[in-house]
Amino acid sequence: MKTPLLALAMALGVSHSYGLNKGNAGPAEVNLKFKLPAPAPLSPEEELKTFRLPAGFRIELVASEPMIESPVAISFDDQGRMFVVEMRSYMRDLEGTTEKDPTSRVSLLTDVDGDGRMDKATPFLDNLVMPRGVMAVKGGAFIAEPPNLFFCRDTKGTGVADEKILIASDFGTLGGQPEHMANTPTWAMDNRVYAANYGTSLKLTTGAWQKGPGLGRGQWGLSQDDAGRLFFNYNSDLLRADLLPAAAYARNPLLRDAIGINSKVIKDQSVYPSHPTPGVNRGYDAKTLRTDGTLANATSTCGAVIYRGDAFPAEFRGNAFIPEPSSNLVKRITIAEKDGVLTGANVYKDKEFLTSTDERFRPVMMANGPDGCLYVVDLYRGMLQHPAFLTHYLIANIKDRHLELPVTGGRIWRIVRDNKTAPRATKIPALTAERVKLLQHPNGWVRDTAQRLLVESGDLSASESLGALLTDPKAPAVTRLHALWTLDGLGAARPELVRLALKDPDTQVRAAAIRIAPTEMISDLCALKDEKEILVLAHLAIRLSATNSAETDTALAKILSQHGRNALVREGALTGLRGREIAIARQIAIATSKLQSSDADAVLEAISRIISQSGKAGPYEEVLSVAVAPEVAASVRTAIIRGLSQTESETKSIKTKSGAAAKPKMLWLTKEPLSLAQLKATMTDATGAKLIASVDARLTWPGKPGAPAPPKVIPLSASQTALFEKGKSVFGGLCAACHQAHGYGLDGLAPPLVDSDWVLGKPDIAARIVLNGLGGPVKVGNRTWDLTMPPMGMLSDEDIAGVLTYIRREWEHNASPIESKDVKAIRTQFAEHTASWTSDELMPSKKAAKK
């Protein structure tokens, strides 16, 4: 695993006696290829001289130690004050023994004279353990301190929070991996608060925070563009985005590997430091460093922001600025859009927007400011690696070059135009009418904050002026979009206003209107089936597929018959078809065959693939009957069978832990389906025969030549049935939020349990995972999940036995139940094991077994 994000992980030297994770430590004997002198820690004034920026820009100090220490995140309130998360308890010694100490804090910084330099700091909330994020909201702030998310407020005007309210208790895990926990709560355009690596969103409704589907993706940092699309990244992946609403995709857990969410914005992961950077975790690998000692590709990407300010030239708006702390730089990329798909490109050839020759410059977060400038959060420490992922190579670098100290630094910088006076922060007024006007402001931070304050206020007197903005053709499109979402946040998006928005000339406004339209406007939405813009059609497909009616199904079938080749439109439809795939497939197949069009072949193939992946015999047999319907054209039939056969071909390419080729789940039928025989008789060409043979190989029934004996299912006893029911209750209250009630998990949050070897294999493996947790990467089916399952050892033996019995017998599973005494024995056997298990520890691969 490459240097993970939050970065934060300043891998402070660790000798061989320290607790290295052997699976990540790399070669024990290392050769320091680039023997550089030990760099001296620099003062802020000295560090300032090491920066390189394009002509026309300069960087200024906003705050530094001792005012702040170890900053990892910031958020501005509506008056331009800055909340700063100071992770002071992070890695203050070589073994990370201070991580559980309550010495971190969130400070509130104030620029008293308005010159852009912070003058005053107060400990807004002190004595925290590894805080993960902050977001100004409702006159206070959300503060993330795993496993909790609190709302904190200063009601006395002292700058110190005297009110602390628990909002969520599942915001990460206490003592978990810093790089793999929820962080960066962000109020998005749709008035929901999302967070990176958190599967839940929050929405303020009638004064209370209501939970809904969240992001469940990203590693450290979260941002949005002017359309409200969310951007995030992973340590070795510079930028990703959700092109369509994540909540829609949560409806269909079998819609995997989609491009509409977690979309890779830029493929080129190269970085260009301005000095040699040998102190990276996999520096021993020949591919990691160039011949000049500089890092070749991103390895600790984090905290990206989409620039939406008004202090830079127009061509900078909408660009992404991405920190790469291990190489002491910030990258700038432009983002182009075509048919709703985003593509990024490096702006500079073989160089970056911001670099430093100071090895302790560690940019971990970028932010838009109330002055329209770009802010850089600089952790300012020697190394960026948590002990769980330290390599012997990095340890040697740290020791050789004395990078352990200091651990008390930290700076915040802002980037401004060099030829202009630095702008002053915009403070949001209290009057509702003035806030509405600010939705026209050129600075995205100002518009976002004005929208948030209007929604928080619940002041319906704003409705008339918001409606006027929405329908003003002279108002910028982004202003009309803010007006529409503000109306929705206030519960004042009346149907007549939404109907006007559905006709707006701007694509994003029309798409938002489709999302916002109430159920009573379904006929209005169906009438949009001849829309030309792909992005609008994708949102329309999401809404129509979620409404089970003849009218919407007919409109959806027409859209897919004409635009089924487009992945976003296709995915939009598939998000809402779970449980209705067969009916829609039949309708599309017949309609497409009549038109003699191949536009919907990709849709039918995708539907069949999802049915095949579900591993359920009934739907599988039903879709075969669709393929043989007399009205269905040969090309349509082939598309359906191709989708069914893909699971077979994909699975064969997967190797099990033993090295053997994996096999898809066998589907048991009561008898040979007539449709299969008909398909064998009609699909006789080489390609068709191969596809049918693949389908036939997965099906079995009594009397089929060579068929294995049917699985023997031993009924649960009365006591085991009671344990199953208890486990069902525990699962619903504790596990279903991630793994979902249907057991198929959720992309970016939790892998599937259905037909998983981790669930159905040796009983002790599942029990050990529940007791101690499991750290990724872990392979489930044909996918690798780099996630962390938190330990649940606080559950009783009976609760754990119940949950395991439930998941081993639910969803057509027939594995053996697990008794409480079995869990007790396993708990005792591994009582000394306190860390999370790894995949190879539980199920060693051939490669791991040889070591």
Side-chain angles (χ1 to χ4, degrees), residues 466-473 480 484 487 493-506 509-514 517-518 521 524 528:
L466 287 169
L469 264 186
L470 173 63
T471 56
D472 182 359
R480 301 198 302 274
L484 180 58
L487 284 164
R494 302 189 308 274
E496 59 268 28
L497 288 173
V498 178
R499 286 190 179 95
L500 291 173
L502 289 173
K503 299 176 182 178
D504 193 279
D506 183 72
V509 175
R510 295 202 304 280
I514 289 170
M521 288 182 61
D524 296 85
L528 299 174

Side-chain angles (χ1 to χ4, degrees), residues 544-579:
L544 296 181
S545 67
T547 307
N548 188 1
S549 73
E551 181 184 21
T552 55
D553 284 357
T554 298
L556 183 63
K558 180 175 182 182
I559 291 171
L560 293 176
S561 296
Q562 296 175 343
H563 303 282
R565 290 178 183 272
N566 183 274
L568 286 186
V569 176
R570 185 169 65 248
E571 289 177 10
L574 291 172
T575 62
L577 292 185
R578 185 166 177 265

Side-chain angles (χ1 to χ4, degrees), residues 78 187-192 203-204 224-228 308 428 432 434-440 443-459 462 466 478-490 516:
D78 55 277
W187 184 296
M189 179 78 77
D190 64 359
N191 301 306
R192 285 192 172 275
K203 185 174 183 179
L204 189 62
Q224 70 172 342
D225 65 5
D226 278 349
R308 301 170 60 217
I428 312 299
T432 294
E434 295 301 314
R435 291 175 174 177
V436 172
K437 290 179 182 178
L438 286 179
L439 297 181
Q440 302 179 75
N443 183 356
W445 180 91
V446 174
R447 296 193 306 272
D448 288 350
T449 306
Q451 175 181 324
R452 173 176 63 81
L453 292 171
L454 287 165
V455 173
E456 287 176 357
S457 73
D459 187 354
L466 287 169
V478 70
T479 292
R480 301 198 302 274
L481 186 61
H482 274 286
L484 180 58
W485 278 115
T486 307
L487 284 164
D488 180 64
L490 289 169
I516 288 170

Side-chain angles (χ1 to χ4, degrees), residues 88-147:
R88 303 165 74 208
S89 50
Y90 188 85
M91 292 292 290
R92 297 179 72 87
D93 60 37
L94 300 181
E95 294 182 283
T97 58
T98 62
E99 284 192 1
K100 296 181 180 180
D101 293 350
T103 55
S104 294
R105 68 189 178 196
V106 172
S107 292
L108 182 59
L109 276 56
T110 305
D111 176 9
V112 177
D113 56 13
D115 64 352
R117 184 83 173 256
M118 294 297 168
D119 307 297
K120 176 184 176 184
T122 56
F124 183 74
L125 192 65
D126 211 341
N127 304 317
L128 301 176
V129 178
M130 298 290 283
R132 302 282 297 160
V134 64
M135 183 193 83
V137 67
K138 289 200 73 179
F142 275 169
I143 294 177
E145 182 193 26

Side-chain angles (χ1 to χ4, degrees), residues 5 32 42 44 68 72 120 153 175 198 222 227 280 378 405 466 480 572 680 700 729 773 776:
L5 170 100
L32 297 182
L42 302 181
I68 57 171
V72 297
K120 176 184 176 184
R153 186 170 58 167
Y198 187 50
L222 187 63
V280 293
D378 176 8
L405 297 173
L466 287 169
R480 301 198 302 274
K680 288 180 179 179
T700 192
S729 176

Side-chain angles (χ1 to χ4, degrees), residues 388-407:
F389 302 106
L390 266 173
T391 63
H392 294 291
Y393 172 87
L394 184 53
I395 294 168
N397 263 282
I398 294 167
K399 295 274 188 192
D400 184 68
R401 302 177 58 231
H402 310 299
L403 290 167
E404 300 98 323
L405 297 173
V407 295

Side-chain angles (χ1 to χ4, degrees), residues 273 347 797:
V347 176
D797 295 339

